[in-house]
Amino acid sequence: ELDLKIYARIIWQWSWLLVLCTVVAGGTAYVISIFSVPIYQASTTLLVTQASNPVTTNMQDLMTSERIASTYAQMMKRSSMLTKVAIELGVDDKVFNQAVTAVNVTPVRDTQLIKLDIEGTSPQLVAAVAYTLPYVFIGEIKAVQGERFAGARDGLQTQIQELSNQIEQAQVAIDKLSDSHTAEEGTELGRLRNQLNQYQSRYNSLLQSLGNLQLTEVQSRDSISVVEPPQIPTAPIRPRILINTLLAAIVGAMMALGVIFLIEYLDDRVKTPQDLYSIIDAPLLGSIARISPKRDKPRKAEMVKGLEDTLLTALEPRHPVSEAYRGLRTNLQFSSIDNALTSLMITSSVPGEGKTTTAANLAIVMAQSGRSVLLIDADMRRPRQHKIFGLPQNPGLTDALIVGGSSLEHYIRATPVPNLSLLTSGKIPPNPAELLGSQRMHQLLE
């Protein structure tokens, strides 16, 4: 089930990691940003118009113009074009490449516009490149488009020059014969005049053809014009210190959350009573809070002699932990109404989980209810009951098992708590498992 309280508890428990990752990521991004080289940007907008019929314009012409704009955008980013711009500006090619970090030429969607963005470390240089590059490109395109008509134009101009020379020669010959009166000279003069008329007619025809060719060349040439010139940038576009810091902090927090929930997902330890109940499906008899090893509250003088701070049930009967142990005692009594509760074994999976503290405090609250209670320290690897009650360790359970006999009075010691006696562990044996599982141990418990 989706329980928001569980997620809130997990986040609160790992809040230190969440804050740490957020601060580290944001701080790192901030430091990197403030030490980064500032990058400036200058932009120019170009209009590309396809050569088309001046009378009618259809949708196909507009789509073709968009494709031409896309083609020109790719051509403007060539390294050879940038080299020409560097030469035009009189800047060394190596310095130019270091100062100009990016050239972005992007056709504006559904328009005939081209957006030219120049990025670099110098605001003056990027503005100069953004201004010069379009004009250098326009000149190159004009040269490329003019080569298509160069052959025909040169041929017509050659013919016109030849006819011009022939007309000039014919005019000179006519001028020489203009004062003659013989029949032969008159005939020759008429022939020259007819030839001159033919030359002039052909000359006019060639001039008209050259004019038509030039008109066709102009009409078939794509038009590229600057509609928005660049400005010298006054502020860098990168690094964006605030945005970079915020984005890095958010990414750090998200990564921390991912790590936290991954750890929680892979962690199969039992941490809460609900976790234990979901595993073994057994009734919960009690829940004891962790006891702080250092406390400043005063003890009762008549009950503190030889007792450690962990025995809250004897030192501070009104403490919430003491109330929890009394609740556990009551639940144990109600759980064994039909069969008298005569013995309890307290154990755990690993050391340090509170067996000694729980056994001692539970024995105390049992004794406080008027029962005669014997606490046996059967932890033969790390015994501690004698320490927390301030009693000697030897002789104890080990000695009683080795020596044998029916009487245990010699090994059982009275404690400062009324109705509570203690059987310490005794000497630590080399084979604790065999002693605890022996027949003598069974007889001792009986």
Side-chain angles (χ1 to χ4, degrees), residues 305-318:
K305 183 179 180 181
L307 300 183
E308 280 194 358
D309 289 348
T310 54
L311 300 181
L312 289 178
T313 51
L315 301 176
E316 299 183 26
R318 296 181 180 274

Side-chain angles (χ1 to χ4, degrees), residues 55-337:
V55 179
T56 61
T57 301
N58 53 32
M59 182 59 68
Q60 184 66 29
D61 294 333
L62 297 177
M63 295 177 62
T64 304
S65 296
E66 292 183 24
R67 290 193 294 269
I68 293 176
S70 179
T71 302
Y72 287 168
Q74 297 298 321
M75 294 176 63
M76 292 180 68
K77 294 189 293 185
R78 293 174 300 162
S79 58
S80 59
M81 183 62 59
L82 298 178
T83 302
K84 293 180 180 179
V85 173
I87 295 173
E88 183 73 19
L89 295 175
V91 181
D92 182 72
D93 190 60
K94 183 177 180 181
V95 176
F96 183 87
N97 293 331
Q98 292 177 350
V100 179
T101 59
V103 177
N104 299 316
V105 186
T106 308
V108 181
R109 185 178 179 84
D110 297 331
T111 66
Q112 299 171 230
L113 300 177
I114 295 178
K115 184 69 176 300
L116 172 63
D117 297 322
I118 308 297
E119 298 179 6
T121 57
S122 172
Q124 292 79 13
L125 181 60
V126 295
V129 174
Y131 180 83
T132 307
L133 179 58
Y135 291 103
V136 173
F137 180 73
I138 291 172
E140 183 180 82
I141 292 299
K142 287 182 178 178
V144 171
Q145 292 178 344
E147 290 180 357
R148 294 184 299 171
F149 300 91
R153 184 175 58 252
D154 293 342
L156 286 176
Q157 289 177 349
T158 300
Q159 294 180 31
I160 291 174
Q161 185 62 37
E162 292 177 354
L163 280 177
S164 178
N165 295 333
Q166 291 176 358
I167 291 173
E168 184 178 353
Q169 294 174 2
Q171 187 64 46
V172 171
I174 290 174
D175 292 340
K176 290 181 179 180
L177 297 176
S178 60
D179 296 333
S180 301
H181 301 286
T182 63
E184 292 180 357
E185 291 177 347
T187 303
E188 181 65 19
L189 180 62
R191 185 186 67 79
L192 289 175
R193 287 177 177 174
N194 290 334
Q195 189 177 23
L196 177 62
N197 292 333
Q198 293 178 2
Y199 288 160
Q200 290 177 343
S201 176
R202 290 180 57 192
Y203 182 82
N204 293 332
S205 177
L206 289 175
L207 286 178
Q208 185 177 3
S209 298
L210 180 60
N212 293 334
L213 179 63
Q214 292 175 344
L215 179 61
T216 303
E217 181 180 357
V218 171
Q219 292 178 347
S220 62
R221 180 178 298 171
D222 296 334
S223 173
I224 305 176
S225 57
V226 177
V227 296
E228 185 178 355
Q231 302 292 332
I232 298 178
T234 57
I237 60 169
R238 290 193 304 273
R240 296 174 293 182
I241 298 178
L242 180 60
I243 295 178
N244 292 346
T245 303
L246 291 178
L247 289 178
I250 293 174
V251 171
M254 296 300 294
M255 292 180 64
L257 284 176
V259 172
I260 289 171
F261 285 111
L262 178 61
I263 293 175
E264 290 292 329
Y265 177 77
L266 298 177
D267 188 3
D268 58 354
R269 293 177 296 175
V270 177
K271 298 180 179 179
T272 64
Q274 290 77 13
D275 295 339
L276 185 61
Y277 178 79
S278 64
I279 295 173
I280 64 175
D281 194 19
L284 178 65
L285 297 179
S287 179
I288 311 300
R290 184 182 298 274
I291 300 175
S292 175
K294 294 182 179 180
R295 301 181 301 108
D296 298 328
K297 293 185 178 180
R299 306 171 179 177
K300 291 187 176 180
E302 68 275 9
M303 301 180 62
V304 300
K305 183 179 180 181
L307 300 183
E308 280 194 358
D309 289 348
T310 54
L311 300 181
L312 289 178
T313 51
L315 301 176
E316 299 183 26
R318 296 181 180 274
H319 196 277
V321 173
S322 302
E323 292 292 341
Y325 276 112
R326 284 192 286 270
L328 175 59
R329 177 194 64 190
T330 303
N331 291 334
L332 287 171
Q333 291 173 349
F334 278 107
S335 66
S336 58
I337 296 178

